[in-house]
Amino acid sequence: KFPSQWKIAHVTPIHKKGQKDLCSNYRPISLLSCVGKVLERCVQRHVYSFLQVNRIITPSQSGFIPGDSTVKQLVCIYNDLCSSFDSGTTAQAVFFDISKAFDRVWHKGLLVKLKAIGIRGLLLEWFCDYLTNRMQTVVIKGEKSRLKRVVSGVPQGSVLGPLLFLIYINDIVNDIQSVIKLFADDTSMSLALKTPNVRADIMNSDLQKINHWAKKWKVKFNEEKTKLLNCIRDQNLVLPLKFEDITLQDTAQHKHLGITLQNNCKWDEHIRSIASKVNLLISCLRSYKYRLTRKTLETMYKSFILPHFDYADVVWDNCTDKLSNMLENLHLEGIRIILGAVRGTSHQKLYEESGFCTLKERRRRHKLILFHKMVNGVCPDYLSDLLPPLVSTRNPYHRRRPLERVNPP
């Protein structure tokens, strides 16, 4: 049994964007019993160990997996797109969007899947009780609404919720011939082939399988937000793709896992997006220039501005010098505000006085850290497999530097 008092969720709506009188523009934040979360943690630890030992979670899943991240999956996706683009092979990528993914999990279907992976007996009964008779109430300014029964979805704000969702969506990859990548409910599928007919047949077949899976397990895909990205040089090499009887429209760019991918594998839109956000934040920082100490300004810069420069920088580091300099100038402006320096101050002196390094140097260090993890096997296998083989594995005779890697073609 899971105590009924621990099943009550207090939901607080947080405004995201748009009109404030529309409920759809709010994000529900669910607060659950802390004591209940302790029990959930005990169960979650053992269930996850069982899944890991038996390799039940698909390697295509990166969400909520220790050692994996959005950045590492983006490195793999972008590498595949660039490889096909450089070789002249047409690559097509479909990015799916599941409507209210965590709220639409079918409880009976989830219990069927739990039983199928080997969770049975008392633990399965416990999960059945854990999912049923859950209640929620909305709290606004200290006032509570009436309790409402929750009939579907994994408990938001819970410890077990993300793991249960991974189990529920795990078999979406079955019999898919294209390269499919999952990050929780963010799903992408891509395929690079020179023959347009074969590529279209495979991808259309995979799209039908995903559509059939969605109907079987009562998952709703948002057709409007499902995007197609064609990385091609010749438009004649593309045949139409259909999902839920709707022909997917090609888009020149798509934002996936926080970065904007373009069909020409460039970064103009993504860098401009970073610059737009940082410009606004630097203006806010400038307004506090004479009211806060240098230490406080530096903390604000590191906490709210620098992460925009750093996120997924190992992926988009091959941007043009013009775009790189655009971000570097914003970085220097932030440093001048922190130090109270004026325009015209030597860039070298600004870096020395502040202790910051250039963004280019930061990206270089981040790439070295990622490469170190790939070489030493402390990152997902799909990343380590991208490394070229060692020279010593190609040539049986002794070499002076056997740990060198073969130069990629």
Side-chain angles (χ1 to χ4, degrees):
K1 296 292 182 182
F2 191 79
S4 57
Q5 286 297 317
W6 296 353
K7 296 180 183 180
I8 300 175
H10 293 79
V11 179
T12 300
I14 303 297
H15 183 252
K16 294 187 293 184
K17 59 182 179 179
Q19 299 179 12
K20 292 189 176 183
D21 56 345
L22 295 178
C23 294
S24 57
N25 291 335
Y26 287 80
R27 186 185 305 279
I29 304 299
S30 182
L31 301 178
L32 296 168
S33 167
C34 295
V35 184
K37 288 184 179 181
V38 174
L39 176 57
E40 289 187 52
R41 177 65 65 186
C42 297
V43 178
Q44 187 266 353
R45 185 170 63 249
H46 290 288
V47 173
Y48 182 76
S49 298
F50 169 77
L51 298 176
Q52 198 171 32
V53 169
N54 294 280
R55 299 188 177 183
I56 293 173
I57 298 295
T58 172
S60 302
Q61 178 65 260
S62 298
F64 309 113
I65 303 296
D68 212 335
S69 67
T70 55
V71 174
K72 291 172 183 175
Q73 187 176 107
L74 286 168
V75 169
C76 185
I77 292 173
Y78 185 64
N79 177 76
D80 292 343
L81 296 178
C82 286
S83 297
S84 63
F85 200 87
D86 292 341
S87 63
T89 305
T90 301
Q92 292 182 282
V94 179
F95 299 92
F96 301 93
D97 182 81
I98 302 178
S99 302
K100 300 180 180 179
F102 286 77
D103 295 330
R104 297 272 179 99
V105 173
W106 180 31
H107 287 170
K108 288 186 178 179
L110 176 58
L111 293 172
V112 168
K113 293 190 176 188
L114 287 171
K115 186 176 181 180
I117 65 174
I119 295 178
R120 300 173 185 177
L122 292 176
L123 183 55
L124 184 62
E125 292 180 17
W126 184 88
F127 271 114
C128 181
D129 185 73
Y130 172 81
L131 292 170
T132 55
N133 297 323
R134 300 196 72 93
M135 309 291 287
Q136 68 179 19
T137 177
V138 179
V139 181
I140 299 178
K141 295 182 179 180
E143 299 294 330
K144 295 182 181 179
S145 69
R146 289 179 296 177
L147 287 172
K148 178 84 172 180
R149 189 177 301 277
V150 181
V151 296
S152 65
V154 293
Q156 289 199 25
S158 65
V159 176
L160 279 169
L163 184 62
L164 292 176
F165 182 79
L166 295 189
I167 295 172
Y168 192 73
I169 202 174
N170 191 57
D171 59 345
I172 194 175
V173 303
N174 291 353
D175 300 324
I176 300 296
Q177 298 181 59
S178 305
V179 178
I180 188 169
K181 293 290 183 182
L182 309 173
F183 196 91
D185 60 326
D186 289 307
T187 307
S188 65
M189 186 183 76
S190 63
L191 186 63
L193 284 175
K194 288 187 177 180
T195 311
N197 293 333
V198 176
R199 183 182 62 251
D201 290 343
I202 292 175
M203 294 196 73
N204 277 317
S205 174
D206 290 339
L207 288 169
Q208 287 181 1
K209 291 174 183 176
I210 291 176
N211 187 26
H212 175 72
W213 177 91
K215 291 179 179 179
K216 180 180 178 181
W217 299 106
K218 300 184 179 182
V219 174
K220 175 64 176 175
F221 282 93
N222 191 333
E223 301 91 350
E224 295 180 358
K225 294 185 179 180
T226 298
K227 301 297 182 180
L228 170 64
L229 196 70
N230 293 326
C231 294
I232 56 174
R233 298 181 187 272
D234 186 356
Q235 292 290 341
N236 296 323
L237 298 177
V238 173
L239 293 176
L241 300 180
K242 290 188 176 182
F243 183 61
E244 294 188 355
D245 298 325
I246 297 176
T247 301
L248 296 178
Q249 298 299 317
D250 181 23
T251 181
Q253 62 192 43
H254 175 67
K255 190 171 184 179
H256 182 63
L257 299 179
I259 70 170
T260 304
L261 297 169
Q262 294 179 211
N263 57 4
N264 57 4
C265 294
K266 295 182 179 180
W267 296 109
D268 307 65
E269 293 301 323
H270 182 66
I271 301 301
R272 291 193 184 99
S273 174
I274 295 175
S276 176
K277 294 175 183 176
V278 170
N279 255 323
L280 180 61
L281 292 171
I282 284 181
S283 298
C284 294
L285 189 69
R286 189 181 293 110
S287 65
Y288 292 104
K289 181 177 179 179
Y290 299 107
R291 290 186 282 172
L292 298 175
T293 64
R294 171 178 166 177
K295 183 66 177 177
T296 304
L297 291 171
E298 183 178 334
T299 301
M300 291 173 65
Y301 184 78
K302 289 180 178 179
S303 301
F304 300 106
I305 300 177
L306 204 56
H308 287 285
F309 291 130
D310 288 347
Y311 178 71
D313 57 359
V314 296
V315 184
W316 53 262
D317 185 42
N318 63 333
C319 65
T320 63
D321 289 340
K322 180 180 178 181
L323 295 173
S324 177
N325 292 336
M326 182 194 302
L327 297 183
E328 201 69 54
N329 291 334
L330 289 171
H331 182 48
L332 286 166
E333 179 62 23
I335 293 175
R336 279 193 287 267
I337 293 172
I338 294 171
L339 298 180
V342 297
R343 288 187 177 274
T345 307
S346 166
H347 292 176
Q348 184 178 354
K349 288 184 178 180
L350 288 174
Y351 287 126
E352 289 176 356
E353 176 67 20
S354 65
F356 287 100
C357 61
T358 64
L359 294 179
K360 185 176 182 179
E361 174 62 19
R362 287 180 68 86
R363 294 196 294 270
R364 188 187 73 87
R365 294 177 185 179
H366 293 161
K367 288 194 294 184
L368 285 174
I369 292 171
L370 180 61
F371 181 74
H372 172 79
K373 292 179 178 180
M374 293 167 68
V375 170
N376 292 278
V378 289
C379 67
D381 292 338
Y382 65 78
L383 266 191
S384 298
D385 293 341
L386 297 179
L387 290 173
L390 293 172
V391 172
S392 57
T393 61
R394 288 281 186 91
N395 301 302
Y397 52 86
H398 177 72
R399 294 180 64 91
R400 185 176 300 171
R401 286 174 288 188
L403 295 181
E404 281 188 351
R405 294 190 174 271
V406 177
N407 290 328

